[in-house]
Amino acid sequence: MTGFSSGAWLASYLGCARGDLLRGQASEAGGLPPIPTCTGPIAAMYIADADDNKNPPAGVKIAVERVRVANGCSTETAPYDAGVPSPCVQYQGCMPGF
């Protein structure tokens, strides 16, 4: 599932609350709402805009941290290049498939 802005908040919520049913989530310009106990790991992609004053990157990083821990990833990252140079990173040491 994916979401933008308010939809990204919902995607983060459902990724935690329904991690046992959803395969993956992508959130663009959203953070992490108050969430219930997470039900398991979930593959995830988060996108943040440094100039977004409604959903600042610091809030998005909280959501990323929740997924990093749930997926058993280390804090080590490697560049992630989707075909164009970018500041994207991929966490290392995650459970296979997450």
Side-chain angles (χ1 to χ4, degrees):
M1 87 172 293
T2 185
F4 174 76
S5 194
S6 294
W9 286 79
L10 179 61
S12 290
Y13 179 90
L14 291 175
C16 181
R18 298 288 187 244
D20 56 339
L21 300 173
L22 296 171
R23 175 62 184 101
Q25 73 177 60
S27 300
E28 183 176 353
L32 184 65
I35 53 175
T37 301
C38 296
T39 58
I42 187 165
M45 179 177 186
Y46 286 91
I47 301 169
D49 184 343
D51 296 327
D52 187 340
N53 60 3
K54 300 291 184 191
N55 296 293
V60 176
K61 287 180 181 179
I62 294 170
V64 169
E65 184 63 10
R66 198 247 6 131
V67 171
R68 184 193 67 77
V69 171
N71 291 352
C73 307
S74 72
T75 57
E76 182 182 342
T77 62
Y80 180 78
D81 183 359
V84 294
S86 73
C88 296
V89 297
Q90 183 172 7
Y91 284 91
Q92 303 297 293
C94 305
M95 288 183 277
F98 296 98

